[in-house]
Amino acid sequence: MTATAPTAGTDTARTSDEHALADFGYQQELRRRMGRYASFAAGFSFISVLTTVFQFFALGYSFGGPAFFWTWPVVLAGQLLVAACFAELAARYPLTGAVYQWSTRLSGSAFGWYAGWLMVIGRVVVVGAAALALQAVLPAIWSGFQLVGGDPAPTSASGAANAALLGLILLALTTVVNVLDNRILTAVNTIGVTAEIIGVALIVTLLISHAERDPGIVLETGGAGGEIGALLIGSFTAAYVLIGFESASEMSEETVNPRRTAPRTTFSALTTSGVCGGLLLLGGLLAAPSLVDGRLATEGLSYVLTSTLGDGLGKVLLADVALAVCAATLAIQTSATRMLYAMARDRRLPFSPTLARVPARTGMPTAAAVAVGLLAGLLLLLNFLSPEALLAIGTTCIAMVYLAYAMVTWPMLVRRLRGQWPPAAPTSAPPAETHDETGRPLFSLGRWGLPINALALLYGLAMTVNLAWPRAEVYDPSGGHWYFQWFTVLFVGASVALGAVYRALRGRG
């Protein structure tokens, strides 16, 4: 939960955390108030299984058929490998801007800068993609939410335009919350997470109790590209959902005792989301009125809820999903804001002095939050051009996130192979490479570190290639939009090129 009334123990912990932060060369600017549940909420809200499963269930089913369910445990296992590596780093580098900080300190300033650069851009894209998810639920609750045109399907022209409009409204609200005091931010996040967990439990219970078929249905396949190809595309659903678990580490400078809290909440957010999401997928497949009428591949879980549970109860549960979408967008924007602030604080971005400013009254990086909201809003305008933009935006953001993850696990693996693990402490004072400030041992993978790290890197690179592969049947099914087919490759390439130009001009200056 959020921090309660200050106690002597809490004050002592905060003081110790501030001293540890000073060892890394930073002053305490953000408000350190978050406890364990709030830290868990940061990661769980980012993942937000209700938001992302409802948003991408139809995609996975349309290509992989019922057997796309099995891509979920495979992706979850791969992400747990990455989370294990990140948990070690969270204990040793409890800093805002986690991926940027970790990559920089493990490899060097140039490599770390590119990891942070890709992560910032990827996070901004994720914010926009999350805001678009309102279209998957609000028109199903009430037709009045379809403000543009008459077809609410996100793949239609009017549905895509309406998704952008609803997303812009949501971004305006989340930006306002992100410039207020972090007690308000944490309270909103905590309420959203609690409502989402309750909602998942109710939806799963009701869907399984209304099952139309037995679980053996998940052994059936279907879709384009052959069985293996179809399942590779079907894995996009799990790949999109199960990211952002490191958000607990992004909030390290706002968390009490982050060396112990962040590693635990990183794992708990991912495992809880993994179990909840898997049960949602299974429940949807079991309770769907039909697997062959085409509606499950276009309308997804919203169709299952309203058709199976009736309009009344189904719409109540969809309202809970809409709340989860709002909480997820807020959490993702917060995480992107912290990454932007961390790089700006090190003077590594354009307009760094402004972006790094933290008003003493709020303790929130106001300019960074506004910048993320504006950039994500500009990205949503692509949805007015074509319905294919939704999928292009979604897969681009996760491909960039996976690539940035690999830019952490790669130098981490090199350090292990060179015998340079665990890393040295930032100063000679506390032995931070093995123990925290109170003398308790830090989270460590021990002798399992090398194989887990190697598998995490291989998984991350393979998934990045899978996501970025320019499949016409996925990114340009109607034809005539080559730029959507190659959008992910072009966007990642343009981001790297833009970063190189900026670094060259900055070096010259």
Side-chain angles (χ1 to χ4, degrees), residues 162 166 237 276 347 384 395 491:
N162 197 68
L166 293 176
T237 299
C276 291
R347 300 298 187 261
F384 286 106
T395 52
F491 194 92

Side-chain angles (χ1 to χ4, degrees), residues 39 125 172 187 265 277 379 426 436 455 503:
S39 178
V125 181
T265 53
L379 195 65
D436 64 15
L455 290 172
R503 286 181 60 83

Side-chain angles (χ1 to χ4, degrees), residues 448-479:
W448 291 100
L450 182 59
I452 288 175
N453 197 162
L455 290 172
L457 175 60
L458 290 174
Y459 159 78
L461 293 175
M463 186 58 74
T464 302
V465 172
N466 181 37
L467 292 165
W469 200 264
R471 302 173 175 92
E473 69 271 24
V474 178
Y475 300 117
D476 188 23
S478 59

Side-chain angles (χ1 to χ4, degrees), residues 33 75 79 96 137 165 191 206 232 236 311 321 430 433 466 499:
R33 291 169 172 160
V75 173
Q79 291 297 70
T96 291
V137 289
L165 188 56
I191 292 171
L206 290 169
L232 286 174
F236 284 15
D311 279 349
V321 176
E433 70 276 8
N466 181 37

Side-chain angles (χ1 to χ4, degrees), residues 148-172:
V148 179
D151 188 350
T155 54
S156 68
S158 62
N162 197 68
L165 188 56
L166 293 176
L168 289 171
I169 295 171
L170 176 57
L171 285 175

